[in-house]
Every structure is written in C-alpha cells, then in structure tokens.
Amino acid sequence: MRTDHMLTRLERVFARLDREPERPAHLQTPRMSRHRVVLLGSTLAFYLAIVVAVLTTSWLVRLDWQIMFFRPYEQWPQLHAFLDYLVVLGQRGPTAVMVAAWLGWRSWRQHTLRPLITLGVALLLLNVTVGAVKIGLGRLGPHYATQIGSAELFAGGDIFPSGHTANAVVTWGILAYLASTVVTRRVLSVVSAVVSLSVGATTVYLGTHWVSDVLLGWTAGLLILLALPWFEPLVARAEAYVFELRELLRRRLEEGRVSEPVAAALTPLLSAGGKWQLRRNAEAPAPAPATQQAQAAGQPVANAPTGHGPTPRPAAHLTTRPHVIRSERTPVTPVGSRRPPHTERTTARPAPARPIAGG
C-alpha cells in the first residue's frame, strides 16, 4: 500500500516558488541593434514632422477640423456605450494596475525584479516626455476650441499629444517587450498594436482629441518602447541595488541590530526558504534542570509549550528552588460555602443537609 503524499496543485505552485533566488537562463535582455536604431530614428523624424505640421497650421490641422465637424459620435451613436468602456484601456491608472499585477507575478515566479523596474522606467519616461510636450504646447481639445481653423496652441490646454494613446502603447507594449519567447513577443505585439489603435480611434470618435493628437500619441509611445534597451543597464543596477539592500537587512537581522517590530515584519519577507534564523532564536535560554527532570519523569510542567494557545512567557522570573507541583501544595478548600460558620445562627436554625455527590 502506497503512503506517498500526493501534492495538490496549490502545493506544487508554492513548492516551485519556495527556492533560492535565481534568474532563468533563457531570458535575454533586448539590445540596441542597428535595426532598432533605424526604427527609432524614423519614428523620431515622424514625431517632429507632426509637431511642425501642427505648429505651421498645415493640412493636418484642417483635417482635424473636418473630422471634428463630422462628429463621429453623432454618426454612429450605437457605438457610444461600448467605446466608453473601451477607452478605459488607455487610462493610466487602471492599465498600470493590471499590467503591474501581472509583471509582479512574473517577478515573483522568476525571482527577478526586472519586469517591475522596467515598467517603472517606462512609465516615468512616459510622464516626463509626454507631460512636458503637453504643458509646453498647451493645445485645447475639440470641445474647447475657440477659433475655427486654428491649431489652438499655447492656450492653456493639455491635449497634445494624446495621453490615452501613448499610455496604451507603452503599458500594453511593455508586455511584448518583456516576453520570454519569440512567438509570445509577436502575439503580444499584435495585441498591443490593436489595443493602442482602438484606444486612439475611440478618443477621436468621442471628440476628446484631434487626429493629430492621436498620431503624436502613437509616435510618443513607440519612441519610449524603442529606446528602452538604452535603459537596461540602469534597470540591472537598480535590481542589484535592491538585492544588496535585502542582504544588508538580513545581516542586520541576524546580528540583532534591528528593533523587534521591524524584525518581525521583515523576517517572513527576507527568509529564503527558512534557511536562516535570527540570532536571538539561537541564543534562547535552555530550560532549568528541575524542568528537564520533570519532563523526563513525565510530570506536567507549568508554562511548558504544548503547541497550542499563546506563547509562554520567558523564564526570567524563575528562581533556583525546585518547581512545586500540585501534589505538594496545601490542600484546597472543599467545594461549598467558604464563609466562616456562625455559632449563634446554628443554635437558632440548623443548616440544611447537603446532598451527597453521586447519590
């Protein structure tokens, strides 16, 4: 008869996670190849061309106004409810939370911080580059336009480039950038392209962005994805710094140089498979000789840990005298009334007879 314990699916998952920190050997860091440099240069030229076209109030601005007067949300009103939900895929808050949750799971499973740090670097570049252009040009959106045919620049707006579109390109494209296989990278690239194109077109349909805003948003997000390999050394240094900080905290915990509340909070996070313990656990006082003798004789010992209930108090208050067990103590008062008898009441009224136990 077999007595082997069959692990459940959840136990197998945690058994896989409970291992020494290691990075899978098959993961390759993208490098700035010549092909990528050419793509980056072409995208940057297209980016500058859109900015110049808007600054000079060229045909692109006229196209913006024509589509704005066309009012797509009035031409196809049945799509409005669905596209209101679809545009959420370009909002920074919900998308960043979803993508960060998935990359956090990958970081935990692969024991590397590169996915999360790369996402943080990409979002930081997105906020800096897109935010600076938005504030610098100050373009108004279609619903707030004041002069027909004007580019509506330097009017205090923040609509150019489209933040929804750029955010969709970066947050969904980072999944393809961090893919571990070629097939997965291609599939995720198609998915991210479809999502970003849909979000950009939806903003034009809703009338919240000009066409040129969406074009520049697509280009700005693509520039960030193409430039990410230049920041891979920074990501590697940040990851190494975090792991060095973790080792420093471990050493301080082992040396007892961290307060007990902080140590209690950090110990589960920093313990690698339970292979190390705090020094104060190793220096715990041994039980007293009288306690050892009582345990060897099979007698109950006060404050002895039984594996149930709260942790017993430390034995710092114990003295050198032997422990007094219950059989050596003074007999306790029998069950019943503990009030002293009154002789004057006994003569007047006898006490009622008590029932005999077990009768």
Side-chain angles (χ1 to χ4, degrees):
M1 182 177 61
R2 296 185 58 182
T3 59
D4 297 340
H5 175 63
M6 300 299 295
L7 297 178
T8 63
R9 183 183 300 272
L10 184 61
E11 289 175 343
R12 289 197 299 269
V13 170
F14 280 101
R16 183 180 179 183
L17 295 175
D18 189 15
R19 59 182 179 179
E20 287 296 321
E22 60 182 13
R23 182 172 181 170
H26 65 278
L27 293 181
Q28 296 181 358
T29 303
R31 297 184 178 181
M32 206 66 184
S33 60
R34 182 176 300 178
H35 179 67
R36 186 180 287 267
V37 171
V38 172
L39 285 177
L40 180 64
S42 303
T43 307
L44 181 60
F46 186 68
Y47 184 95
L48 296 176
I50 296 175
V51 174
V52 171
V54 173
L55 287 174
T56 57
T57 316
S58 64
W59 63 270
L60 186 57
V61 177
R62 293 194 294 272
L63 178 63
D64 290 338
W65 280 96
Q66 289 175 1
I67 295 181
M68 194 273 281
F69 285 132
F70 181 69
R71 292 182 175 85
Y73 55 89
E74 293 183 356
Q75 302 298 326
W76 302 284
Q78 64 275 11
L79 300 176
H80 201 288
F82 170 73
L83 294 181
D84 273 339
Y85 289 101
L86 180 64
V87 79
V88 177
L89 295 178
Q91 290 183 1
R92 191 161 307 169
T95 56
V97 170
M98 290 187 291
V99 174
W102 168 248
L103 295 181
W105 167 251
R106 282 192 55 186
S107 296
W108 185 30
R109 184 182 62 182
Q110 298 175 354
H111 293 269
T112 175
L113 296 177
R114 177 175 171 263
L116 284 177
I117 297 177
T118 305
L119 175 63
V121 171
L123 292 180
L124 180 61
L125 291 174
L126 177 67
N127 292 333
V128 172
T129 56
V130 175
V133 177
K134 278 177 173 287
I135 297 175
L137 296 179
R139 190 181 191 185
L140 295 176
H143 293 309
Y144 302 96
T146 58
Q147 185 177 355
I148 298 177
S150 171
E152 301 294 336
L153 294 172
F154 311 109
D158 56 350
I159 209 72
F160 183 71
S162 171
H164 275 70
T165 305
N167 183 72
V169 174
V170 172
T171 52
W172 300 109
I174 200 70
L175 298 179
Y177 177 83
L178 295 171
S180 56
T181 62
V182 178
V183 176
T184 306
R185 184 177 297 110
R186 290 176 179 175
V187 172
L188 291 178
S189 297
V190 173
V191 172
S192 62
V194 171
V195 171
S196 58
L197 290 173
S198 302
V199 169
T202 300
T203 59
V204 175
Y205 167 86
L206 297 175
T208 57
H209 280 287
W210 307 99
V211 175
S212 55
D213 298 342
V214 175
L215 292 177
L216 198 64
W218 283 331
T219 311
L222 187 57
L223 281 175
I224 294 174
L225 292 179
L226 291 174
L228 274 181
W230 278 337
F231 296 89
E232 286 293 341
L234 176 63
V235 172
R237 287 195 297 269
E239 183 182 15
Y241 174 76
V242 172
F243 283 131
E244 290 177 0
L245 182 61
R246 185 185 65 174
E247 294 299 327
L248 177 62
L249 289 175
R250 281 184 177 180
R251 289 195 297 268
R252 290 188 176 183
L253 283 172
E254 292 175 350
E255 296 172 1
R257 292 190 293 171
V258 180
S259 61
E260 291 188 1
V262 177
L266 293 179
T267 299
L269 299 177
L270 300 179
S271 58
K275 294 186 177 181
W276 64 282
Q277 296 178 351
L278 299 179
R279 171 176 288 186
R280 64 173 181 269
N281 294 336
E283 296 177 353
T291 305
Q292 294 179 353
Q293 295 176 3
Q295 291 176 351
Q299 299 175 349
V301 181
N303 294 332
T306 60
H308 306 281
T311 304
R313 296 182 179 179
H317 64 281
L318 296 180
T319 59
T320 56
R321 63 182 179 85
H323 181 73
V324 180
I325 60 177
R326 182 171 296 274
S327 60
E328 299 175 0
R329 294 178 182 174
T330 305
V332 297
T333 307
V335 179
S337 176
R338 298 185 179 181
R339 292 182 295 179
H342 300 276
T343 55
E344 66 279 2
R345 294 184 181 181
T346 305
T347 57
R349 183 178 58 184
R354 294 175 182 169
I356 301 176

